[in-house]
């Protein structure tokens, strides 16, 4: 048989199904034809989805560790190249050729690689901040998201034996959806489970066992509820969960759990979780009565029954509607997360806010909540006279517009 070229063409839309095809192409070239160089050609690619590119990154890094050289041909699309630079996707494959992404932005979170508990905690906290600003979430959605992130990332550190993992978080405002992807190139769930349980027959059975409550391959590190709890959260929320490792793949979709064989086996583990943000989650019910503490409580709880938001920590400036919308979303998430709590907004260090910002945050918040609830639950402290005047004017004008039938979402500047 004639040897294959080292060129692997990446399709127009590269997601999970396309990744599966590409990994098989790489597997064939590396294992059968013993090629030491692979060229990934993204020339015609117009869309890259996290569940395609992030597993590919982990796969490439594993092969690079075994001496395989990878070259990247960039897409023609200017917009896609801009996204790739921000996410740091190509940098993760070839750091000499492609620049590292900027630090976590106000709006989004680039791909995060973590090697320790501290790095994982930092990535999780950044992800929560981004989610709270970009998506209005029902009660317990942020806490469920945070719990799953910590558990899935912790599994990488304590079970994968890979030394590192990748975390990708995306927010989708149009579909009211929060997406989490955790990937590693380690030993995989089946091998980890077989080391603990000798009666496991195949990879599919190993994955079925791994998502059962109280089952863990390393009892010294935990109680074995991370995967089981993530599955339970997906089932209760009507969300989506997929776990692929070795020769098995488990999927939770539309309230149904299925497990099937997966070939050729995936080296490492890919876990994908999608949570609808418009549906409240009974987290204690999903976690068998456990009600975990959350980042929201630790950062924003001033005292029992009172939350504190320091405005100066929310954004570098307070001069436009885009920033205002994100801070209003954060405020609504804080109030939703603690239905019985009041919110204190601290203006210390804020010298002035733009009229458009004031309207986007406080004018629209007053109209959305109503005078009674807004007045009883939201308090302002350390506000100077200038800010007070601008905000009072924004509330008065927005209230008048609302009474006249104006739409809350109208941008009237």
């Amino acid at each position: 048989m004639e040897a294959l070229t080292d060129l692997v063409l990446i399709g127009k839309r590269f997601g999970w199904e396309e990744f599966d095809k590409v990994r098989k192409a790489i597997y064939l070239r590396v294992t059968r034809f013993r090629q030491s160089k692979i060229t990934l050609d993204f020339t015609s690619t117009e869309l890259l989805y996290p569940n395609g590119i992030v597993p590919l990154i982990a796969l490439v890094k594993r092969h690079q560790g075994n001496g395989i050289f990878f070259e990247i041909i960039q897409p023609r699309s200017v917009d896609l190249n801009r996204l790739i630079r921000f996410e740091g996707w190509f940098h993760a494959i070839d750091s000499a050729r492609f620049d590292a992404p900027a630090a976590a932005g106000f709006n989004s979170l680039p791909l995060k690689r973590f090697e320790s508990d501290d790095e994982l905690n930092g990535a999780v906290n950044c992800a929560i901040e981004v989610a709270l600003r970009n998506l209005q979430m029902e009660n317990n959605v942020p806490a469920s998201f945070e719990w799953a992130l910590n558990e899935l990332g912790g599994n990488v550190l304590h079970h994968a034996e890979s030394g590192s993992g990748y975390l990708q978080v995306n927010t989708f405002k149009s579909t009211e959806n929060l997406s989490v992807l955790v990937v590693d190139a380690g030993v995989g769930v089946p091998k980890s489970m077989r080391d603990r349980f000798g009666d496991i027959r195949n990879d599919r059975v190993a994955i079925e066992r791994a998502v059962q409550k109280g089952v863990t391959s390393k009892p010294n590190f935990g109680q074995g509820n991370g995967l089981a709890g993530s599955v339970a959260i997906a089932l209760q929320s009507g969300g989506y969960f997929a776990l692929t490792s070795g020769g098995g793949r488990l999927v939770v979709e539309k309230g149904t759990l299925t497990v099937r064989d997966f070939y050729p086996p995936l080296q490492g583990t890919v876990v994908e979780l999608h949570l609808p943000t418009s549906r409240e989650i009974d987290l204690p019910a999903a976690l068998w009565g456990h009600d975990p503490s959350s980042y929201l409580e630790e950062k924003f709880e001033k005292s029992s029954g009172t939350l504190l938001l320091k405005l100066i920590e929310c954004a570098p400036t307070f001069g436009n509607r885009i920033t205002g919308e994100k801070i209003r979303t954060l405020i609504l998430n804080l109030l939703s997360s603690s239905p019985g709590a009041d919110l204190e907004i601290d203006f210390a260090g804020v010298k002035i806010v733009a009229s458009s910002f004031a309207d986007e945050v406080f004018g629209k918040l007053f109209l959305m909540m109503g005078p009674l609830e807004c007045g009883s639950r939201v308090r302002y402290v350390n506000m100077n006279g200038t800010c007070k005047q601008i905000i009072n004017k924004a509330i008065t004008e927005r209230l008048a517009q609302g009474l006249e039938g104006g739409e809350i979402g109208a941008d009237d500047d």
Side-chain angles (χ1 to χ4, degrees), residues 42-72:
F42 290 87
T43 302
S44 300
T45 307
E46 296 179 1
L47 290 172
L48 281 177
Y49 297 98
N51 65 355
I53 187 63
V54 180
L56 179 62
I57 290 168
L59 177 66
V60 167
K61 297 304 291 183
R62 184 182 183 110
H63 283 305
Q64 286 175 332
N66 293 325
I68 308 299
F69 176 78
F70 282 82
E71 183 178 359
I72 293 175

mmCIF file of all heavy atoms in Angstrom, residues 42-72:
data_model
loop_
_atom_site.group_PDB
_atom_site.id
_atom_site.type_symbol
_atom_site.label_atom_id
_atom_site.label_comp_id
_atom_site.label_asym_id
_atom_site.label_seq_id
_atom_site.Cartn_x
_atom_site.Cartn_y
_atom_site.Cartn_z
ATOM 1 N N PHE A 42 -5.810 24.049 7.738
ATOM 2 C CA PHE A 42 -7.063 24.723 8.076
ATOM 3 C C PHE A 42 -7.465 25.745 7.011
ATOM 4 O O PHE A 42 -8.321 26.587 7.270
ATOM 5 C CB PHE A 42 -6.922 25.452 9.424
ATOM 6 C CG PHE A 42 -6.816 24.563 10.627
ATOM 7 C CD1 PHE A 42 -5.583 24.073 11.037
ATOM 8 C CD2 PHE A 42 -7.938 24.231 11.358
ATOM 9 C CE1 PHE A 42 -5.475 23.269 12.153
ATOM 10 C CE2 PHE A 42 -7.845 23.433 12.483
ATOM 11 C CZ PHE A 42 -6.606 22.940 12.872
ATOM 12 N N THR A 43 -6.869 25.679 5.840
ATOM 13 C CA THR A 43 -7.081 26.705 4.815
ATOM 14 C C THR A 43 -8.561 26.983 4.557
ATOM 15 O O THR A 43 -8.993 28.141 4.494
ATOM 16 C CB THR A 43 -6.413 26.288 3.489
ATOM 17 O OG1 THR A 43 -5.021 26.073 3.702
ATOM 18 C CG2 THR A 43 -6.607 27.369 2.436
ATOM 19 N N SER A 44 -9.367 25.942 4.415
ATOM 20 C CA SER A 44 -10.775 26.101 4.048
ATOM 21 C C SER A 44 -11.709 26.179 5.245
ATOM 22 O O SER A 44 -12.932 26.281 5.075
ATOM 23 C CB SER A 44 -11.195 24.931 3.145
ATOM 24 O OG SER A 44 -10.411 24.897 1.978
ATOM 25 N N THR A 45 -11.161 26.139 6.455
ATOM 26 C CA THR A 45 -11.994 26.125 7.661
ATOM 27 C C THR A 45 -12.595 27.505 7.907
ATOM 28 O O THR A 45 -11.896 28.515 7.853
ATOM 29 C CB THR A 45 -11.176 25.693 8.876
ATOM 30 O OG1 THR A 45 -10.526 24.449 8.590
ATOM 31 C CG2 THR A 45 -12.072 25.527 10.092
ATOM 32 N N GLU A 46 -13.898 27.527 8.168
ATOM 33 C CA GLU A 46 -14.593 28.787 8.451
ATOM 34 C C GLU A 46 -15.109 28.853 9.874
ATOM 35 O O GLU A 46 -15.288 29.943 10.424
ATOM 36 C CB GLU A 46 -15.756 28.966 7.472
ATOM 37 C CG GLU A 46 -15.301 29.099 6.015
ATOM 38 C CD GLU A 46 -16.479 29.242 5.060
ATOM 39 O OE1 GLU A 46 -17.639 29.265 5.532
ATOM 40 O OE2 GLU A 46 -16.244 29.328 3.838
ATOM 41 N N LEU A 47 -15.357 27.698 10.483
ATOM 42 C CA LEU A 47 -15.850 27.652 11.858
ATOM 43 C C LEU A 47 -15.082 26.594 12.644
ATOM 44 O O LEU A 47 -14.929 25.461 12.185
ATOM 45 C CB LEU A 47 -17.346 27.321 11.893
ATOM 46 C CG LEU A 47 -18.314 28.392 11.388
ATOM 47 C CD1 LEU A 47 -19.729 27.827 11.317
ATOM 48 C CD2 LEU A 47 -18.281 29.617 12.294
ATOM 49 N N LEU A 48 -14.602 26.980 13.823
ATOM 50 C CA LEU A 48 -13.967 26.046 14.747
ATOM 51 C C LEU A 48 -14.786 26.006 16.021
ATOM 52 O O LEU A 48 -15.029 27.043 16.653
ATOM 53 C CB LEU A 48 -12.535 26.484 15.073
ATOM 54 C CG LEU A 48 -11.440 26.194 14.057
ATOM 55 C CD1 LEU A 48 -10.111 26.777 14.544
ATOM 56 C CD2 LEU A 48 -11.291 24.707 13.831
ATOM 57 N N TYR A 49 -15.242 24.816 16.392
ATOM 58 C CA TYR A 49 -16.006 24.650 17.620
ATOM 59 C C TYR A 49 -15.092 24.106 18.712
ATOM 60 O O TYR A 49 -14.190 23.293 18.439
ATOM 61 C CB TYR A 49 -17.172 23.690 17.396
ATOM 62 C CG TYR A 49 -18.179 24.185 16.378
ATOM 63 C CD1 TYR A 49 -18.141 23.735 15.058
ATOM 64 C CD2 TYR A 49 -19.143 25.111 16.738
ATOM 65 C CE1 TYR A 49 -19.058 24.187 14.120
ATOM 66 C CE2 TYR A 49 -20.068 25.574 15.799
ATOM 67 C CZ TYR A 49 -20.013 25.110 14.501
ATOM 68 O OH TYR A 49 -20.922 25.569 13.573
ATOM 69 N N PRO A 50 -15.286 24.542 19.958
ATOM 70 C CA PRO A 50 -14.414 24.069 21.040
ATOM 71 C C PRO A 50 -14.333 22.554 21.154
ATOM 72 O O PRO A 50 -13.263 22.009 21.423
ATOM 73 C CB PRO A 50 -15.053 24.695 22.290
ATOM 74 C CG PRO A 50 -15.716 25.931 21.783
ATOM 75 C CD PRO A 50 -16.241 25.575 20.424
ATOM 76 N N ASN A 51 -15.482 21.837 20.935
ATOM 77 C CA ASN A 51 -15.447 20.390 21.094
ATOM 78 C C ASN A 51 -14.753 19.675 19.936
ATOM 79 O O ASN A 51 -14.645 18.458 19.936
ATOM 80 C CB ASN A 51 -16.848 19.822 21.301
ATOM 81 C CG ASN A 51 -17.758 20.011 20.101
ATOM 82 O OD1 ASN A 51 -17.398 20.647 19.116
ATOM 83 N ND2 ASN A 51 -18.959 19.465 20.187
ATOM 84 N N GLY A 52 -14.255 20.451 18.972
ATOM 85 C CA GLY A 52 -13.411 19.898 17.927
ATOM 86 C C GLY A 52 -11.952 20.258 18.137
ATOM 87 O O GLY A 52 -11.080 19.403 18.195
ATOM 88 N N ILE A 53 -11.682 21.555 18.311
ATOM 89 C CA ILE A 53 -10.304 22.024 18.357
ATOM 90 C C ILE A 53 -9.619 21.690 19.681
ATOM 91 O O ILE A 53 -8.421 21.352 19.692
ATOM 92 C CB ILE A 53 -10.234 23.549 18.073
ATOM 93 C CG1 ILE A 53 -8.785 24.012 17.957
ATOM 94 C CG2 ILE A 53 -11.001 24.340 19.107
ATOM 95 C CD1 ILE A 53 -8.003 23.410 16.835
ATOM 96 N N VAL A 54 -10.319 21.753 20.813
ATOM 97 C CA VAL A 54 -9.643 21.494 22.095
ATOM 98 C C VAL A 54 -9.231 20.024 22.229
ATOM 99 O O VAL A 54 -8.095 19.735 22.624
ATOM 100 C CB VAL A 54 -10.501 21.963 23.286
ATOM 101 C CG1 VAL A 54 -9.774 21.683 24.610
ATOM 102 C CG2 VAL A 54 -10.807 23.456 23.174
ATOM 103 N N PRO A 55 -10.099 19.046 21.903
ATOM 104 C CA PRO A 55 -9.617 17.653 21.895
ATOM 105 C C PRO A 55 -8.462 17.435 20.917
ATOM 106 O O PRO A 55 -7.559 16.647 21.194
ATOM 107 C CB PRO A 55 -10.861 16.857 21.476
ATOM 108 C CG PRO A 55 -12.011 17.690 21.903
ATOM 109 C CD PRO A 55 -11.565 19.103 21.682
ATOM 110 N N LEU A 56 -8.477 18.152 19.781
ATOM 111 C CA LEU A 56 -7.378 18.028 18.838
ATOM 112 C C LEU A 56 -6.078 18.540 19.455
ATOM 113 O O LEU A 56 -5.009 17.942 19.273
ATOM 114 C CB LEU A 56 -7.693 18.798 17.555
ATOM 115 C CG LEU A 56 -6.598 18.780 16.481
ATOM 116 C CD1 LEU A 56 -6.336 17.358 15.991
ATOM 117 C CD2 LEU A 56 -6.967 19.693 15.311
ATOM 118 N N ILE A 57 -6.164 19.633 20.188
ATOM 119 C CA ILE A 57 -4.979 20.182 20.855
ATOM 120 C C ILE A 57 -4.379 19.151 21.814
ATOM 121 O O ILE A 57 -3.167 18.910 21.820
ATOM 122 C CB ILE A 57 -5.332 21.485 21.605
ATOM 123 C CG1 ILE A 57 -5.626 22.611 20.604
ATOM 124 C CG2 ILE A 57 -4.208 21.893 22.560
ATOM 125 C CD1 ILE A 57 -6.250 23.834 21.230
ATOM 126 N N ALA A 58 -5.233 18.533 22.635
ATOM 127 C CA ALA A 58 -4.737 17.531 23.590
ATOM 128 C C ALA A 58 -4.110 16.344 22.867
ATOM 129 O O ALA A 58 -3.068 15.821 23.293
ATOM 130 C CB ALA A 58 -5.876 17.069 24.488
ATOM 131 N N LEU A 59 -4.734 15.911 21.771
ATOM 132 C CA LEU A 59 -4.201 14.793 20.993
ATOM 133 C C LEU A 59 -2.843 15.147 20.396
ATOM 134 O O LEU A 59 -1.889 14.345 20.438
ATOM 135 C CB LEU A 59 -5.187 14.431 19.879
ATOM 136 C CG LEU A 59 -4.761 13.315 18.920
ATOM 137 C CD1 LEU A 59 -4.662 11.996 19.655
ATOM 138 C CD2 LEU A 59 -5.744 13.211 17.755
ATOM 139 N N VAL A 60 -2.734 16.345 19.828
ATOM 140 C CA VAL A 60 -1.478 16.785 19.233
ATOM 141 C C VAL A 60 -0.373 16.859 20.279
ATOM 142 O O VAL A 60 0.762 16.420 20.039
ATOM 143 C CB VAL A 60 -1.668 18.149 18.528
ATOM 144 C CG1 VAL A 60 -0.317 18.778 18.183
ATOM 145 C CG2 VAL A 60 -2.518 17.989 17.276
ATOM 146 N N LYS A 61 -0.698 17.418 21.455
ATOM 147 C CA LYS A 61 0.313 17.532 22.508
ATOM 148 C C LYS A 61 0.816 16.161 22.933
ATOM 149 O O LYS A 61 2.004 15.989 23.229
ATOM 150 C CB LYS A 61 -0.261 18.282 23.704
ATOM 151 C CG LYS A 61 -0.674 19.714 23.431
ATOM 152 C CD LYS A 61 0.454 20.560 22.871
ATOM 153 C CE LYS A 61 1.545 20.842 23.861
ATOM 154 N NZ LYS A 61 2.594 21.730 23.316
ATOM 155 N N ARG A 62 -0.068 15.175 22.961
ATOM 156 C CA ARG A 62 0.352 13.816 23.317
ATOM 157 C C ARG A 62 1.327 13.273 22.271
ATOM 158 O O ARG A 62 2.374 12.713 22.608
ATOM 159 C CB ARG A 62 -0.865 12.909 23.443
ATOM 160 C CG ARG A 62 -0.521 11.496 23.920
ATOM 161 C CD ARG A 62 -1.759 10.626 23.988
ATOM 162 N NE ARG A 62 -1.433 9.313 24.509
ATOM 163 C CZ ARG A 62 -1.786 8.849 25.693
ATOM 164 N NH1 ARG A 62 -2.484 9.614 26.509
ATOM 165 N NH2 ARG A 62 -1.443 7.635 26.081
ATOM 166 N N HIS A 63 1.000 13.462 21.003
ATOM 167 C CA HIS A 63 1.883 12.980 19.942
ATOM 168 C C HIS A 63 3.197 13.752 19.915
ATOM 169 O O HIS A 63 4.265 13.185 19.634
ATOM 170 C CB HIS A 63 1.193 13.087 18.584
ATOM 171 C CG HIS A 63 0.171 12.022 18.337
ATOM 172 N ND1 HIS A 63 0.458 10.678 18.434
ATOM 173 C CD2 HIS A 63 -1.136 12.091 17.980
ATOM 174 C CE1 HIS A 63 -0.617 9.963 18.153
ATOM 175 N NE2 HIS A 63 -1.593 10.796 17.877
ATOM 176 N N GLN A 64 3.136 15.048 20.188
ATOM 177 C CA GLN A 64 4.365 15.838 20.239
ATOM 178 C C GLN A 64 5.301 15.309 21.325
ATOM 179 O O GLN A 64 6.529 15.295 21.149
ATOM 180 C CB GLN A 64 4.041 17.315 20.494
ATOM 181 C CG GLN A 64 3.455 18.026 19.285
ATOM 182 C CD GLN A 64 3.036 19.455 19.595
ATOM 183 O OE1 GLN A 64 2.698 19.789 20.727
ATOM 184 N NE2 GLN A 64 3.039 20.302 18.583
ATOM 185 N N GLY A 65 4.724 14.868 22.431
ATOM 186 C CA GLY A 65 5.532 14.283 23.493
ATOM 187 C C GLY A 65 6.221 13.000 23.080
ATOM 188 O O GLY A 65 7.215 12.586 23.693
ATOM 189 N N ASN A 66 5.706 12.372 22.024
ATOM 190 C CA ASN A 66 6.306 11.147 21.489
ATOM 191 C C ASN A 66 7.169 11.405 20.254
ATOM 192 O O ASN A 66 7.518 10.476 19.520
ATOM 193 C CB ASN A 66 5.213 10.131 21.147
ATOM 194 C CG ASN A 66 4.497 9.630 22.384
ATOM 195 O OD1 ASN A 66 5.099 9.479 23.444
ATOM 196 N ND2 ASN A 66 3.190 9.387 22.256
ATOM 197 N N GLY A 67 7.476 12.692 20.002
ATOM 198 C CA GLY A 67 8.401 13.024 18.933
ATOM 199 C C GLY A 67 7.784 13.331 17.583
ATOM 200 O O GLY A 67 8.506 13.499 16.589
ATOM 201 N N ILE A 68 6.454 13.411 17.494
ATOM 202 C CA ILE A 68 5.796 13.735 16.228
ATOM 203 C C ILE A 68 5.743 15.254 16.061
ATOM 204 O O ILE A 68 5.342 15.971 16.977
ATOM 205 C CB ILE A 68 4.373 13.159 16.153
ATOM 206 C CG1 ILE A 68 4.391 11.661 16.472
ATOM 207 C CG2 ILE A 68 3.766 13.411 14.784
ATOM 208 C CD1 ILE A 68 5.209 10.820 15.523
ATOM 209 N N PHE A 69 6.141 15.741 14.879
ATOM 210 C CA PHE A 69 6.136 17.181 14.605
ATOM 211 C C PHE A 69 4.849 17.559 13.875
ATOM 212 O O PHE A 69 4.439 16.884 12.924
ATOM 213 C CB PHE A 69 7.340 17.573 13.745
ATOM 214 C CG PHE A 69 7.354 19.019 13.347
ATOM 215 C CD1 PHE A 69 7.751 19.995 14.249
ATOM 216 C CD2 PHE A 69 6.960 19.416 12.076
ATOM 217 C CE1 PHE A 69 7.765 21.334 13.891
ATOM 218 C CE2 PHE A 69 6.965 20.747 11.702
ATOM 219 C CZ PHE A 69 7.371 21.708 12.615
ATOM 220 N N PHE A 70 4.217 18.648 14.328
ATOM 221 C CA PHE A 70 2.988 19.120 13.700
ATOM 222 C C PHE A 70 3.196 20.527 13.140
ATOM 223 O O PHE A 70 3.741 21.400 13.809
ATOM 224 C CB PHE A 70 1.837 19.146 14.710
ATOM 225 C CG PHE A 70 1.243 17.805 14.983
ATOM 226 C CD1 PHE A 70 1.845 16.939 15.883
ATOM 227 C CD2 PHE A 70 0.087 17.385 14.332
ATOM 228 C CE1 PHE A 70 1.305 15.681 16.139
ATOM 229 C CE2 PHE A 70 -0.460 16.142 14.575
ATOM 230 C CZ PHE A 70 0.161 15.284 15.480
ATOM 231 N N GLU A 71 2.750 20.714 11.903
ATOM 232 C CA GLU A 71 2.766 22.027 11.265
ATOM 233 C C GLU A 71 1.334 22.460 10.986
ATOM 234 O O GLU A 71 0.489 21.632 10.641
ATOM 235 C CB GLU A 71 3.550 21.978 9.957
ATOM 236 C CG GLU A 71 3.662 23.341 9.272
ATOM 237 C CD GLU A 71 4.474 23.295 7.997
ATOM 238 O OE1 GLU A 71 4.981 22.210 7.647
ATOM 239 O OE2 GLU A 71 4.592 24.346 7.333
ATOM 240 N N ILE A 72 1.064 23.753 11.153
ATOM 241 C CA ILE A 72 -0.284 24.291 10.959
ATOM 242 C C ILE A 72 -0.305 25.224 9.758
ATOM 243 O O ILE A 72 0.526 26.124 9.633
ATOM 244 C CB ILE A 72 -0.757 25.057 12.204
ATOM 245 C CG1 ILE A 72 -0.947 24.092 13.381
ATOM 246 C CG2 ILE A 72 -2.052 25.814 11.923
ATOM 247 C CD1 ILE A 72 -1.294 24.791 14.686
#
